[in-house]
Amino acid sequence: MNSCRSNPKLEIRNISKSFDGELILNKVHLCLYPGEIISLLGVSGSGKSTIFNIISGLLKPDDGKVLFNGEDITGMKGKVSYMLQKDLLLQHLPIVDNVALPLFLKGMPKKEARQQAIKHFEKFGLKNMESSYPHELSGGMAQRAAFLRTYLFSKEVALLDEPFSALDAITKSHIHSWYLDIMNEIKLSTIFVTHDIDEAIKLSHRIYILSSHPGEIVEEIPVNRQVMEDEEYFLTKEYRMIKQKILQVLA
């Protein structure tokens, strides 16, 4: 895993990072291609959030580079969108203004920004919720609103840090199906952090597994999307083989 195929959307090239003399990440290298979803899977403390902070420009690596469409963006903010575990919707604003916030911040007039945001409401399952407030939304709707806000910040690359972990099992199952449908339509290149092995398998084209202390990429596992999009994918032989391999690597 020392090089990417041609024309990756995003390349994390051999990044290393230490805090207070302790090596947290060691020569992490990964590639993200247009329209692809990849997952970072590892135990707590393996450096997944540090990787996201470096990609988003919130931290600078000690060594290595972050390349976006071939351009070195190491330490630069505002190039990719970053969705945290909590939806972080502003309770005093209607949903349309919450969603349009990235467009406001980029200087777009409020009327135009709202119109741009509303164009996507039906697609994101938020039709007729423009004037509602966050407390009036279900957990699944709040996550869809947060995801739409993330998409409007950057329609090229998104970082999703355990965005579905707070949802109950039934809601999570429904939003997984919705998420895959919407991703097939919008083709947003995405890196997804999760501790949930089943979630990683269901949502990803490829899974990178991180070791801990320091965090290193120890395995890259491709996922056959045609098999995993079957409604009974948990029963497929391919699913069982991938999960067994992940568990062996994490052991």
Side-chain angles (χ1 to χ4, degrees):
M1 289 180 286
N2 293 322
S3 61
C4 294
R5 304 192 310 270
S6 60
N7 301 318
K9 173 62 66 174
L10 188 75
E11 180 179 0
I12 315 309
R13 184 180 292 175
N14 296 322
I15 60 172
S16 297
K17 183 67 179 177
S18 297
F19 292 106
D20 298 325
E22 180 182 359
L23 186 61
I24 303 300
L25 297 175
N26 184 39
K27 296 182 178 179
V28 170
H29 193 286
L30 59 87
C31 314
L32 176 68
Y33 296 94
E36 185 182 40
I37 306 170
I38 63 173
S39 285
L40 299 182
L41 192 61
V43 300
S44 296
S46 56
K48 300 184 293 297
S49 293
T50 302
I51 291 173
F52 270 17
N53 287 334
I54 289 173
I55 295 172
S56 62
L58 298 175
L59 285 175
K60 285 188 177 182
D62 299 330
D63 295 295
K65 296 179 179 180
V66 179
L67 302 175
F68 179 63
N69 291 324
E71 175 191 358
D72 186 349
I73 63 164
T74 310
M76 297 173 62
K77 301 173 186 174
K79 295 293 185 178
V80 303
S81 57
Y82 189 172
M83 179 175 167
L84 299 171
Q85 183 174 346
K86 296 182 179 180
D87 59 62
L88 299 179
L89 298 176
L90 300 176
Q91 297 299 313
H92 66 286
L93 292 180
I95 297 305
V96 65
D97 285 353
N98 267 284
V99 167
L101 189 59
L103 304 180
F104 297 159
L105 295 176
K106 291 178 181 180
M108 186 179 291
K110 285 192 174 183
K111 183 177 179 180
E112 181 183 351
R114 289 175 180 133
Q115 290 172 343
Q116 289 294 322
I118 288 171
K119 288 180 182 179
H120 301 281
F121 266 55
E122 183 171 2
K123 182 189 304 181
F124 279 74
L126 297 167
K127 187 178 180 180
N128 299 324
M129 301 304 293
E130 295 87 350
S131 300
S132 299
Y133 285 81
H135 71 273
E136 299 176 285
L137 271 59
S138 66
M141 278 190 171
Q143 288 304 99
R144 291 199 294 272
F147 184 52
L148 175 52
R149 181 180 59 191
T150 301
Y151 175 63
L152 290 178
F153 183 87
S154 171
K155 296 183 179 180
E156 294 193 75
V157 172
L159 311 177
L160 307 184
D161 191 354
E162 297 193 78
F164 311 134
S165 62
L167 303 176
D168 63 79
I170 294 175
T171 302
K172 183 183 288 190
S173 177
H174 289 160
I175 205 166
H176 281 167
S177 298
W178 168 83
Y179 174 77
L180 287 173
D181 287 342
I182 197 72
M183 290 299 292
N184 284 335
E185 184 171 350
I186 65 177
K187 306 296 184 184
L188 177 65
S189 303
T190 304
I191 306 180
F192 187 82
V193 158
T194 180
H195 287 91
D196 186 330
I197 294 174
D198 294 328
E199 184 172 67
I201 298 172
K202 184 174 183 179
L203 300 182
S204 307
H205 293 91
R206 290 181 295 119
I207 300 169
Y208 286 100
I209 300 180
L210 283 159
S211 64
S212 60
H213 308 299
E216 299 177 328
I217 302 291
V218 292
E219 193 73 47
E220 177 188 346
I221 300 176
V223 178
N224 185 335
R225 293 298 329 144
Q226 290 182 332
V227 172
M228 293 307 151
E229 287 172 10
D230 188 307
E231 289 185 1
E232 297 184 344
Y233 82 100
F234 283 114
L235 304 178
T236 63
K237 180 181 178 181
E238 179 140 357
Y239 162 76
R240 295 195 303 272
M241 291 176 62
I242 291 175
K243 187 167 185 178
Q244 182 178 21
K245 184 172 185 179
I246 291 172
L247 290 170
Q248 288 173 343
V249 174
L250 290 173

